[in-house]
């Protein structure tokens, strides 16, 4: 397998102009894809993507990921087609089941995620292709919807971690965004994805490692700056993941307590102290450029075809983007 694209992820929790500046820098530094996360409490993902599209010229771009509960598939089809037009055909669509806690806060009940993804992807693809869609699914019902414009084909990537969602992604997606950083998680993921890909008969499929990455010439600094992101990953992961990585549940509990203290008493250094070396190793790709390259090589052997540098990227984002562009991407 070869790494066909090196991507980057941004959370629009900063001013859009600043995020666009980072994207332009990423494009100038050999990154080929930019994924923008979608949470209603951040800047709107499509408004942000429109700005990124207008200021860049070659980097592919898309939401990583939107969800069909909060955003109706017809609206997603229209929004991503608009981004495809603005960007001259550079759009990609990332879609996943969404974040249960956030959706439930909004009064949206999070049921049947597999069906929602399967039916939404079918409908979105048909709408993007300019078809008139009448669909009587288990969870999506549409009668005669059609976009009045067409902007070309758009690859659809599915955000997946669970065994069934991974298989479904292989079956119906053009790619999958797997939120993980360690070879053990990808051994498991790729075996599930393959089952779906085989069922579909596809010959091409993009397996994306949507990683927590932190790069710096100083390995310690890189690792330290990944700790807070790793703590959040630990707090939100199911026990099966800790079993896979042999991480003691007492250590997990310490991180959860430390995060609680950080939110209530502002003790953020305590969070850094609670994150263990094993957690850093399991949930991030953090270190010097040569350490990061070694880890990417392992992922490639397992079948990863795109690596995405996700938060925090490095102790200093701009420096990290330049380091990845000069020392990592050319050496893949
Ligand atoms: N979520 C966001 O809200 N915003 C983002 O920007 C975002 C980015 C992102 C990037 C990469 C990525 O991989 C995920 C990302 N996510 C983001 C999270 C994403 O939206 C999904 O929450 C996440 O990927 C889904 O995780 P999952 O693959 O584990 O799927 C869940 C739904 C799961 O439980 N899957 C199980 C499995 O085995 O895969 C199946 C569950 C099941 O069987 N459900 C039954 C069914 O029919 O669907 C019944 C359940 C019922 O109660 O109805």
């Amino acid at each position: 397998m070869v790494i066909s694209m090196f991507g980057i992820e941004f959370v629009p929790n900063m001013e859009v102009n600043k995020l666009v500046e980072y994207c332009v820098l990423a494009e100038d530094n050999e990154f080929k894809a930019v994924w923008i996360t979608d949470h209603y409490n951040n800047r709107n993902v499509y408004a942000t993507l429109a700005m990124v599209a207008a200021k860049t010229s070659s980097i592919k771009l898309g939401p990583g990921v939107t969800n069909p509960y909060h955003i109706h598939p017809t609206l997603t089809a229209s929004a991503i087609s608009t981004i495809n037009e603005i960007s001259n055909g550079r759009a990609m669509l990332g879609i996943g089941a969404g974040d249960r806690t956030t959706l439930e806060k909004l009064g949206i009940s999070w049921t049947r995620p597999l069906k929602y993804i399967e039916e939404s992807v079918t409908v979105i693809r048909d709408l993007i292709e300019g078809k008139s869609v009448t669909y009587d699914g288990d969870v999506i019902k549409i009668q005669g919807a059609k976009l009045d414009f067409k902007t070309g084909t758009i690859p659809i990537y599915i955000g997946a971690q669970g065994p069934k969602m991974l298989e479904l992604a292989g079956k119906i997606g053009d790619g999958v965004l797997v939120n993980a950083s360690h070879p053990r998680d990808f051994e498991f993921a790729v075996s599930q994805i393959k089952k779906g890909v085989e069922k579909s008969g596809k010959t091409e499929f993009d397996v994306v490692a949507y990683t927590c990455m932190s790069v710096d010439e100083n390995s310690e600094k890189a690792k330290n700056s990944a700790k807070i992101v790793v703590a959040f990953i630990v707090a939100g992961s199911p026990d099966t993941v800790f079993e896979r990585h042999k991480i003691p549940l007492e250590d997990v509990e310490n991180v959860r307590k430390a995060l609680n203290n950080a939110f209530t008493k502002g003790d953020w250094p305590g969070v850094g102290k609670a994150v263990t070396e094993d957690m850093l190793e399991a949930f991030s790709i953090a270190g010097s450029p040569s350490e990061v390259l070694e880890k990417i090589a392992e992922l490639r052997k397992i079948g990863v075809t795109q690596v995405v540098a996700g938060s925090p990227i490095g102790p200093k984002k701009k420096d990290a983007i330049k380091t990845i562009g000069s020392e990592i991407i050319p050496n893949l």
Side-chain angles (χ1 to χ4, degrees), residues 33-234:
V34 57
W35 298 96
I36 307 293
T37 62
D38 184 8
H39 297 98
Y40 82 91
N41 52 316
N42 288 329
R43 275 71 171 176
N44 177 265
V45 67
Y46 292 107
T48 304
L49 284 166
M51 286 287 286
V52 175
K55 300 281 182 189
T56 55
S57 57
S58 63
I59 202 162
K60 291 179 189 281
L61 69 172
V65 302
T66 190
N67 76 78
Y69 291 94
H70 194 184
I71 312 296
H72 194 271
T74 49
L75 185 53
T76 296
S78 166
I80 198 65
S81 297
T82 308
I83 298 298
N84 207 37
E85 179 176 296
I86 300 171
S87 66
N88 291 316
R90 289 184 279 137
M92 321 172 282
L93 175 66
I95 188 165
D99 169 42
R100 177 178 214 144
T101 323
T102 309
L103 291 167
E104 286 182 349
K105 258 190 213 164
L106 309 180
I108 299 170
S109 71
W110 192 78
T111 53
R112 307 197 66 188
L114 296 164
K115 270 282 163 218
Y116 259 93
I117 292 298
E118 183 166 16
E119 296 187 1
S120 306
V121 168
T122 306
V123 164
I124 292 168
R125 204 172 257 135
D126 283 352
L127 288 167
I128 289 172
E129 284 173 11
K131 292 181 187 158
S132 171
V133 177
T134 293
Y135 192 83
D136 185 21
D138 290 347
V139 293
I140 309 277
K141 311 241 180 231
I142 290 175
Q143 289 187 343
K146 187 177 182 301
L147 296 185
D148 290 336
F149 65 107
K150 216 172 124 179
T151 66
T153 50
I154 299 169
I156 301 183
Y157 288 72
I158 292 156
Q161 273 73 238
K164 291 185 194 157
M165 195 66 87
L166 287 161
E167 184 174 343
L168 179 68
K171 189 167 147 222
I172 65 170
D174 298 295
V176 62
L177 303 174
V178 186
N179 220 184
S181 303
H182 197 278
R184 268 195 292 272
D185 293 313
F186 282 93
E187 272 157 17
F188 168 76
V190 169
S191 67
Q192 288 303 117
I193 295 162
K194 272 189 181 155
K195 290 184 200 165
V197 171
E198 276 160 19
K199 280 185 192 152
S200 75
K202 276 188 287 266
T203 52
E204 277 184 29
F205 190 79
D206 200 8
V207 178
V208 184
Y210 210 83
T211 71
C212 160
M213 189 175 282
S214 182
V215 185
D216 194 87
E217 300 295 350
N218 180 325
S219 172
E220 273 319 295
K221 273 193 188 165
K223 287 178 179 153
N224 280 334
S225 74
K227 284 184 176 170
I228 300 289
V229 179
V230 167
F232 278 104
I233 297 173
V234 169

